[in-house]
Amino acid sequence: MNTNPIYLALDFPRLETAEAVARKVAGHIGGLKLGLEFFCAHGHHGVHEIAKIGLPIFLDLKLHDIPNTVAGAMQAIHVLQPSIVTVHAGGGRAMMEDAKAAAGEHCKVVGVTLLTSLDESDMAATGIGGSAHDQVMRLADLAHSSGLDGIVCSGHEVASVHSQWKDGFFVVPGLRPADPHGKGSHGDQKRTVTPRQARDAGASVLVIGRPIARAEDPVAAARAIEGTL
């Protein structure tokens, strides 16, 4: 896998736009993340087109269903040869075990713990007690014991998870570059850190979208973030 930990999130409704941005910054990133919006809009064809750029593909589909269905979905994307695929750790042990068993030989399966758009008030509203940190740690332990390669978590929890899962593969989204003026927008993310902070805490992959993809100069933005790592 590419040694550059930056994976660009290509969350664009138009395939041509996603492809153009990805080609511009390809020399300054390590991979490309295609999420649910992209996959629903463009399907296998879109993934194949983006894969022609020559970077590892991270399919962030957050699969969450009964074990047999998730295993079938994993088998259906073998042909796309993704480097990373996400499932929801909340789907339980059997689902995660089956997802990993059905994955391609060179595909890392990582469990989504707690979405970075959620905080403890959101957790409480869905009946989950305790802190965000505690919930992430519980699901990280479950993902580890289920045989997954790693987890997705925010930069606030990655150091704690890394201390208990030394060889885990940790994907950190919700990253925002340091703003010297303190005016950077976090969008819909509630638990953010900088790319450097996440990397220092043990992140294997840094998922960055808007700060690069929506920048006036995506290449300059990617180079600036790359230069902090």
Side-chain angles (χ1 to χ4, degrees), residues 112-116 118-119 123 132 135-136 139 152-154 191:
V112 176
T113 53
L114 187 67
L115 298 174
T116 52
L118 302 179
D119 59 18
M123 289 170 53
Q135 176 68 357
V136 170
L139 290 175
V152 182
C153 65
S154 88
R191 297 179 295 123

Side-chain angles (χ1 to χ4, degrees), residues 10-218:
L10 290 176
D11 298 322
F12 292 99
R14 286 178 53 84
L15 176 58
E16 295 80 4
T17 304
E19 187 175 0
V21 172
R23 289 192 182 279
K24 281 183 183 178
V25 303
H28 305 286
I29 60 176
L32 298 164
K33 184 188 85 80
L34 304 176
L36 194 59
E37 178 183 358
F38 182 96
F39 196 75
C40 287
H42 308 295
H44 282 217
H45 168 71
V47 178
H48 280 301
E49 290 301 304
I50 296 297
K52 291 177 183 177
I53 295 169
L55 290 172
I57 297 296
F58 171 10
L59 286 182
D60 186 20
L61 302 181
K62 299 184 178 70
L63 301 175
H64 190 172
D65 212 308
I66 62 172
N68 188 60
T69 297
V70 169
M74 292 294 293
Q75 290 169 348
I77 59 177
H78 276 190
V79 66
L80 301 175
Q81 298 183 311
S83 294
I84 310 168
V85 175
T86 49
V87 301
H88 265 292
R93 182 184 304 278
M95 189 204 79
M96 287 190 279
E97 289 175 344
D98 284 9
K100 180 58 183 174
E105 182 182 356
H106 303 293
C107 176
K108 291 185 182 297
V109 181
V110 295
V112 176
T113 53
L114 187 67
L115 298 174
T116 52
S117 60
L118 302 179
D119 59 18
E120 284 159 16
S121 64
D122 297 309
M123 289 170 53
T126 59
I128 301 172
S131 68
H133 180 273
D134 289 346
Q135 176 68 357
V136 170
M137 295 304 291
R138 282 194 294 267
L139 290 175
D141 286 343
L142 182 60
H144 191 188
S145 65
S146 300
L148 294 197
D149 297 285
I151 62 161
V152 182
C153 65
S154 88
H156 292 285
E157 295 95 26
V158 67
S160 295
V161 179
H162 185 254
S163 69
Q164 294 189 20
W165 190 351
K166 296 297 185 184
D167 60 347
F169 186 84
F170 306 117
V171 176
V172 178
L175 299 170
R176 293 294 181 264
D179 183 347
H181 306 293
K183 297 179 181 178
S185 171
H186 287 186
D188 56 4
Q189 308 288 355
K190 295 183 178 179
R191 297 179 295 123
T192 66
V193 299
T194 68
R196 179 74 209 197
Q197 288 170 330
R199 188 64 166 161
D200 288 346
S204 309
V205 163
L206 308 172
V207 177
I208 302 172
R210 280 170 258 184
I212 294 175
R214 307 286 180 175
E216 289 185 16
D217 186 342

